[in-house]
Amino acid sequence: AAGMFLRLLSDVRWRAANPKWRRMTCSQRSTSSTAEPHPISLPAQAQVVICGGGIMGTSVAYHLSKMGWKDIVLLEQGRLAAGTTRFCAGIVSTARPVSVELKMAHYSNKLYQQLEQETGVNTGYIKTGSISLAQTQDRLISLKRIASSLNVMGIPCEIITPKQVAQLHPLINIHDLVGAMYVPGDALVSSANVSLALATAASRNGVQIHERTSVSHVAVQNGRVTAVETDRGQINCEYFVNCAGQWAYELGHSGKEPVNIPLHACEHFYLLTHPLKEPLASNVPTIIDPDGRIYIRNWQGGILSGGFEKNPKPLFTEGRNQLEIHNLQEDWDHFEPLLSSLLRRMPDLEALQIMQLVNCPESFTPDMRCIMGESPTVRGYFVLAGMNSAGISYGGGAGKYLAEWMVNGYPSENVWPLDLKRFGTLQSSRTFLRHRVMEVMPLMCDLKVPRWDFQTGRQLRTSPLYDRLDAQGARWMEKHGFERVKYFVPPGKDLLDLEQSKTFYKPDWFDIVGSEVKCCKEAVCVIDMSSFTKFEISSTGDQALESLQYLFSNDLDVPVGHVVHTGMLNEKGGYENDCSIARLSKRSFFMISPTDQQVHCWAWLKNRLPDDSNLTMEDVTWKYTALNLIGPRAVDVLSELSYAPITPEHFPSLFCKEMSVGYANGIRVMSITHTGEPGFVLYIPIEYALHVYNEVMNMGQKYGIRNAGYYALRSLRIEKFFAFWGQDLDAFTTPVECGREFQVKLEKGMEFVGQEALLEQKQNGVYKRFTMFILEDHDTDTDLWPWWGEPIFRNGRYVGKTTSSAYSYTLERHVCLGFVQHFDEKTGEELVVTTDFINQGDYEIDIAGQRFQAKAKLYPFSSLFAQRRRKEEEQLSGYQRE
């Protein structure tokens, strides 16, 4: 078979290039005999044990050894690169919508290009370029958005016409195309050979590689990795890296301390043909046809073509005794729609002889992004798996980031979108994963417009008010498995169905969200915010206060009942979390964090809080329903329900009180709304939630109360220049860079994590500044909308990207938030960003290749509103004087 021939060729080349291998490998196959020499014994001790000899495991080993770690053992249950890597299509594509994935793919491409020279192993690297086809205008817009990101990163890329497609690839049928994206730097490789080259380099750097060695489980003591048990003995170690591909899930669950790695395999099909009569040139561009759900590349003068069908076949990979992945059963009936799509795109293939239909497993994750990082439950247990059919594109970059994470404690880029801790245990249900990957695999090709939502695995975590809100027209989205309301469709109003409402332009909910925002500003709205992460931290003495003072940047030694906005920073001053903490008593604190912080924040605090039986931390997210009452009449509703004075004198801003609301006692009421508007958040013990909600809605009728959703909240917070963690703030963003110095107390009488870095920034200046942009010449009705990730230009030069955006119904303009950097025009060196630099530039925001003028601001809109009101009052008083 063709696959086996490639495999044997890889083995021969690699072993010829690396004679040392014969001494280090645990087994060798002989072409003349089935007998194998006795393997050398495993070491008793290593710093790092890596499980998995595919592209991920060898990449991690390569990069760790490059960074100076030598005491590394790589274990492979079969032979190197004999898993999914062996069957990989070998397409290295940088056109990725997520910034960190794009950077990983770009690095991989550069690494593979020089790998043969470094190792002597032929990797089959050929720079062919790739052409992504668009059959619809919406698809072309999505390609233009990606092209904008590639261009500002210095990756050559252009949007081309159908005629240009035909010139680059004469066999392609262009009659149904509206355009395409051409990336000339994309490449093809032999993925198995790349793995063998990485293993060769790692081996030369001292990494021990043992084939035919299965890991049974990882031993853990006191929450840390201590050893790895194999079928050939135990290896004591400090770090374990799970790069086991489709077996990663099972391996994670094999020990007494399970590590949840949510991925699931599906069958993935591609065909190989014999060479064409006129064999295709080796450098003919790879074709990616997402609307046709297929990809096409040159393969030895013929073609290799596969795709992502609408009805995928999940695989329950139960038995780990399958040492190597063999070609699974052919299924021509299942492949037929993809074959039809291929023949429509390349009609000349009708008479071509097919050599083989390959069927191999590919691992997919619940959100189509790969999984990397340290386990939240076991220190020293790292994971790199779940590549969603992009393993060869990500392999180099993903291995580099994970190696940096292990050596330095953090990678060189923000990898939160890929972090294992973005998932909770609920995403590890086998049934959930099976159903979700059946949706994920087709989504690889589906057009993804902003604000799209997964349809499977829903209604998993819900507020007690879910049914009540759903009956009132709630439209739902999901965050960390929790159902949250986007907006409420008023009675009698029909929205377009899901498919028709997909757009990059003005969405069909525009007026609905506008009316919710208006109600928040003029009357009172209720938003169910139960999904927010909630922890209680308490102690018998001062341990809780002392620990939190060290771990948080603001001063938490405030009077009981006060609420403090604060960052949980890392050593570099970056935000690991952005939260609000209420002091409930001298020794007890209530912490509110973003929804997706539940696992990450818990792990961060657990690893840093002292091991003291007198100090306790409890996750109480599920114990409280949170109702956000936003608007000027919120105070009236609450005062009538509680029979307590709620005036600013009795209930100042950023204050927390336990109150009775209706018949319910013990409601924690905080005078914050997370939007900059007046109001309160009610944290209600879950059994009282329905009663309190009913009371609030009944009492609020006379004040014009209505339900609202997160889209309204987003519009309100963005026009007030409020940054949100996970969108605007991340581990590489400091309070000084985003104008939040007021949430930091540098002189609070004790050191805190990140203090040194912030002092340095205050002294030397910052290299990026969080900035607000108001689009000037943008027509909301007819122009493409900004969403996030749009390039920002200052005086025609690229200076950064937007992180979030929303339409401001108050200003009747689009508002974008993002970071501005300052690069030296000649050297490209980063320079300090000053207030003058921000204020003296002319700005444009690039939306899918079209630039719109924007006004930059470093202060929130409330100041603008105040200026506008003063101006109007002055004009009015001027008229009156006249």
Side-chain angles (χ1 to χ4, degrees):
M4 184 56 71
F5 171 74
L6 283 175
R7 171 69 232 185
L8 291 171
L9 191 62
S10 302
D11 283 0
V12 170
R13 283 173 179 163
W14 184 50
R15 287 170 170 80
N18 190 21
K20 179 183 175 185
W21 174 251
R22 281 187 285 277
R23 297 194 302 274
M24 298 197 62
T25 185
C26 72
S27 66
Q28 286 287 335
R29 262 193 187 180
S30 166
T31 52
S32 58
S33 168
T34 56
E36 294 185 355
H38 293 293
I40 61 168
S41 59
L42 296 179
Q45 176 79 36
Q47 184 182 11
V48 182
V49 174
I50 301 168
C51 175
I55 184 70
M56 293 303 147
T58 53
S59 180
V60 172
Y62 170 87
H63 286 95
L64 282 174
S65 66
K66 282 275 187 183
M67 295 181 75
W69 283 19
K70 307 295 184 188
D71 188 12
I72 300 166
V73 174
L74 188 151
L75 306 177
E76 164 55 45
Q77 65 175 350
R79 291 179 301 160
L80 283 180
T84 301
T85 300
R86 171 187 165 199
F87 287 101
C88 178
I91 300 168
V92 184
S93 167
T94 50
R96 306 287 166 180
V98 179
S99 176
V100 67
E101 292 179 341
L102 192 158
K103 289 173 182 174
M104 287 196 307
H106 183 47
Y107 171 82
S108 298
N109 196 333
K110 290 193 295 185
L111 173 67
Y112 303 158
Q113 200 167 354
Q114 56 83 40
L115 204 53
E116 184 171 342
Q117 187 180 347
E118 180 186 344
T119 63
V121 178
N122 176 12
T123 58
Y125 184 93
I126 305 170
K127 190 173 284 188
T128 60
S130 72
I131 305 171
S132 298
L133 309 179
Q135 295 182 29
T136 66
Q137 288 298 332
D138 273 349
R139 177 70 69 182
L140 190 59
I141 290 166
S142 74
L143 294 178
K144 286 178 178 178
R145 287 179 63 88
I146 294 171
S148 293
S149 294
L150 289 170
N151 282 322
V152 297
M153 275 192 64
I155 301 171
C157 171
E158 59 179 312
I159 298 297
I160 60 175
T161 64
K163 281 186 179 177
Q164 289 172 298
V165 172
Q167 290 164 3
L168 288 164
H169 200 309
L171 294 180
I172 293 297
N173 175 10
I174 62 169
H175 80 277
D176 57 349
L177 301 182
V178 297
M181 177 177 69
Y182 177 46
V183 185
D186 282 354
L188 296 178
V189 293
S190 161
S191 49
N193 285 20
V194 168
S195 289
L196 297 172
L198 291 168
T200 299
S203 173
R204 288 172 185 167
N205 283 334
V207 175
Q208 296 186 53
I209 300 175
H210 295 266
E211 294 181 314
R212 305 289 181 197
T213 307
S214 294
V215 174
S216 57
H217 68 271
V218 178
V220 177
Q221 280 184 7
N222 300 322
R224 277 207 74 97
V225 168
T226 58
V228 175
E229 288 286 350
T230 79
D231 58 352
R232 295 175 50 212
Q234 178 179 292
I235 307 174
N236 295 320
C237 62
E238 297 173 52
Y239 299 94
F240 175 73
V241 188
N242 184 338
C243 297
Q246 65 163 331
W247 293 288
Y249 175 96
E250 281 182 294
L251 181 57
H253 280 260
S254 63
K256 290 178 182 174
E257 299 262 356
V259 173
N260 292 308
I261 304 166
L263 54 79
H264 197 296
C266 282
E267 295 182 28
H268 178 59
F269 296 86
Y270 62 80
L271 61 78
L272 300 168
T273 76
H274 288 283
L276 280 71
K277 281 183 183 175
E278 287 187 30
L280 281 177
S282 61
N283 63 347
V284 71
T286 296
I287 298 295
I288 299 161
D289 183 2
D291 295 311
R293 317 192 74 82
I294 56 169
Y295 55 83
I296 309 163
R297 57 154 284 192
N298 168 59
W299 188 74
Q300 298 182 2
I303 65 158
L304 179 159
S305 178
F308 302 94
E309 62 273 24
K310 289 184 177 180
N311 56 333
K313 297 165 71 174
L315 278 170
F316 271 106
T317 314
E318 297 297 346
R320 287 188 58 240
N321 58 343
Q322 183 188 354
L323 296 187
E324 295 165 11
I325 298 173
H326 299 287
N327 190 8
L328 302 171
Q329 191 172 354
E330 290 186 349
D331 189 340
W332 283 103
D333 289 340
H334 190 78
F335 189 71
E336 195 278 329
L338 299 180
L339 180 60
S340 298
S341 187
L342 169 64
L343 294 175
R344 279 195 301 275
R345 188 56 58 214
M346 296 180 74
D348 291 353
L349 297 186
E350 285 278 7
L352 195 61
Q353 191 178 355
I354 292 169
M355 181 186 292
Q356 185 182 11
L357 180 64
V358 177
N359 176 5
C360 60
E362 279 279 3
S363 296
F364 295 87
T365 64
D367 61 0
M368 293 191 296
R369 299 197 298 264
C370 73
I371 296 172
M372 69 162 61
E374 189 174 17
S375 159
T377 53
V378 180
R379 300 294 304 274
Y381 191 121
F382 285 81
V383 178
L384 186 57
M387 293 296 133
N388 299 283
S389 202
I392 197 65
S393 291
Y394 296 154
K400 173 178 180 277
Y401 290 155
L402 195 79
E404 290 171 345
W405 204 329
M406 295 172 69
V407 174
N408 302 327
Y410 43 83
S412 56
E413 290 288 340
N414 172 36
V415 295
W416 171 247
L418 316 177
D419 194 330
L420 172 63
K421 291 184 283 293
R422 72 188 187 271
F423 295 119
T425 53
L426 56 95
Q427 281 101 350
S428 284
S429 149
R430 209 62 176 149
T431 307
F432 167 84
L433 288 170
R434 180 179 176 84
H435 290 172
R436 176 56 66 86
V437 297
M438 289 175 74
E439 179 183 13
V440 159
M441 195 168 164
L443 276 170
M444 301 295 292
C445 290
D446 287 354
L447 184 68
K448 290 173 282 294
V449 301
R451 307 277 186 274
W452 62 274
D453 299 294
F454 288 107
Q455 302 304 304
T456 53
R458 296 295 296 271
Q459 298 180 35
L460 203 53
R461 301 172 74 197
T462 61
S463 155
L465 306 176
Y466 180 87
D467 289 339
R468 281 298 311 275
L469 301 178
D470 197 53
Q472 294 177 77
R475 292 293 182 268
W476 301 92
M477 60 182 178
E478 170 248 334
K479 181 91 166 186
H480 203 64
F482 215 116
E483 295 294 330
R484 312 201 303 182
V485 181
K486 296 191 276 194
Y487 49 81
F488 286 82
V489 180
K493 181 161 178 81
D494 287 328
L495 284 193
L496 296 168
D497 70 41
L498 191 66
E499 285 303 310
Q500 290 174 299
S501 64
K502 288 182 176 180
T503 180
F504 290 99
Y505 291 89
K506 180 180 176 180
D508 56 355
W509 44 256
F510 179 81
D511 292 330
I512 293 172
V513 173
S515 61
E516 291 179 5
V517 167
K518 188 171 189 285
C519 188
C520 287
K521 288 181 172 292
E522 296 176 1
V524 56
C525 274
V526 180
I527 301 180
D528 183 346
M529 296 178 65
S530 304
S531 68
F532 272 30
T533 298
K534 299 172 274 288
F535 295 163
E536 280 181 11
I537 301 155
S538 55
S539 59
T540 54
D542 293 332
Q543 299 96 327
L545 176 63
E546 288 170 3
S547 300
L548 297 182
Q549 284 284 67
Y550 174 66
L551 292 172
F552 291 87
S553 59
N554 211 338
D555 189 0
L556 296 175
D557 194 4
V558 293
V560 171
H562 283 247
V563 181
V564 177
H565 285 312
T566 181
M568 184 175 83
L569 310 180
N570 54 37
E571 285 73 13
K572 290 193 157 190
Y575 279 98
E576 292 295 333
N577 185 13
D578 179 46
C579 54
S580 303
I581 299 180
R583 191 169 194 179
L584 302 178
S585 70
K586 282 282 185 187
R587 295 165 180 170
S588 180
F589 297 84
F590 186 51
M591 177 178 167
I592 314 298
S593 305
T595 304
D596 49 4
Q597 274 281 358
Q598 191 166 14
V599 176
H600 172 71
C601 181
W602 179 269
W604 181 270
L605 290 174
K606 266 290 184 195
N607 292 335
R608 286 159 181 80
L609 286 171
D611 189 11
D612 186 339
S613 59
N614 296 314
L615 177 66
T616 59
M617 179 171 69
E618 184 185 2
D619 185 346
V620 295
T621 302
W622 62 274
K623 285 187 175 182
Y624 292 94
T625 297
L627 290 183
N628 197 350
L629 268 63
I630 304 175
R633 307 313 297 265
V635 63
D636 301 308
V637 174
L638 197 56
S639 59
E640 287 202 46
L641 278 173
S642 60
Y643 293 102
I646 311 287
T647 57
E649 301 82 54
H650 295 93
F651 209 131
S653 181
L654 293 177
F655 204 68
C656 176
K657 248 185 212 179
E658 275 211 355
M659 300 170 63
S660 297
V661 177
Y663 298 150
N665 291 319
I667 312 297
R668 289 176 186 168
V669 180
M670 293 190 198
S671 49
I672 55 173
T673 63
H674 307 284
T675 62
E677 299 296 329
F680 306 87
V681 180
L682 281 58
Y683 289 95
I684 308 157
I686 205 159
E687 64 268 30
Y688 300 145
L690 205 52
H691 168 74
V692 173
Y693 173 77
N694 289 337
E695 291 289 302
V696 166
M697 294 305 285
N698 291 335
M699 185 61 72
Q701 290 303 318
K702 59 184 173 185
Y703 299 110
I705 198 166
R706 67 177 288 169
N707 292 300
Y710 273 81
Y711 284 10
L713 184 125
R714 183 184 182 86
S715 174
L716 290 166
R717 72 95 177 165
I718 286 177
E719 72 176 21
K720 287 291 196 301
F721 204 7
F722 278 24
F724 265 29
W725 191 89
Q727 295 170 38
D728 312 298
L729 309 178
D730 58 43
F732 289 80
T733 308
T734 74
V736 184
E737 292 165 349
C738 58
R740 288 181 158 211
E741 293 97 326
F742 62 92
Q743 293 184 8
V744 177
K745 290 291 182 289
L746 288 167
E747 310 299 333
K748 62 178 177 180
M750 69 173 293
E751 287 184 14
F752 62 86
V753 178
Q755 184 179 31
E756 207 173 296
L758 299 186
L759 284 167
E760 194 178 310
Q761 280 195 333
K762 278 190 80 72
Q763 186 177 337
N764 301 333
V766 296
Y767 293 97
K768 62 179 179 182
R769 284 288 291 273
F770 193 50
T771 310
M772 166 186 277
F773 298 94
I774 309 152
L775 294 191
E776 298 280 272
D777 58 345
H778 183 271
D779 188 318
T780 306
D781 292 322
T782 59
D783 287 326
L784 287 168
W785 275 32
W787 297 98
W788 61 83
E790 290 85 12
I792 303 164
F793 291 87
R794 179 187 180 275
N795 299 345
R797 289 178 59 82
Y798 171 69
V799 290
K801 281 188 175 182
T802 64
T803 51
S804 56
S805 66
Y807 182 80
S808 166
Y809 294 88
T810 312
L811 276 183
E812 299 179 351
R813 287 277 187 281
H814 255 100
V815 179
C816 300
L817 309 181
F819 285 92
V820 170
Q821 295 168 279
H822 184 187
F823 301 103
D824 185 281
E825 291 193 21
K826 292 176 182 172
T827 64
E829 181 192 355
E830 275 193 316
L831 302 174
V832 170
V833 178
T834 62
T835 304
D836 284 346
F837 179 79
I838 299 288
N839 291 336
Q840 291 169 8
D842 292 325
Y843 291 89
E844 294 171 303
I845 307 293
D846 179 318
I847 306 175
Q850 187 178 355
R851 294 188 190 181
F852 296 91
Q853 290 178 353
K855 189 177 286 183
K857 297 287 176 190
L858 281 170
Y859 45 85
F861 270 140
S862 50
S863 316
L864 294 174
F865 298 150
Q867 288 171 12
R868 183 188 279 182
R869 278 198 299 273
R870 280 198 298 273
K871 197 171 181 181
E872 287 170 355
E873 285 164 9
E874 285 167 14
Q875 288 173 346
L876 195 59
S877 59
Y879 295 144
Q880 287 168 346
R881 280 196 298 274
E882 288 170 13

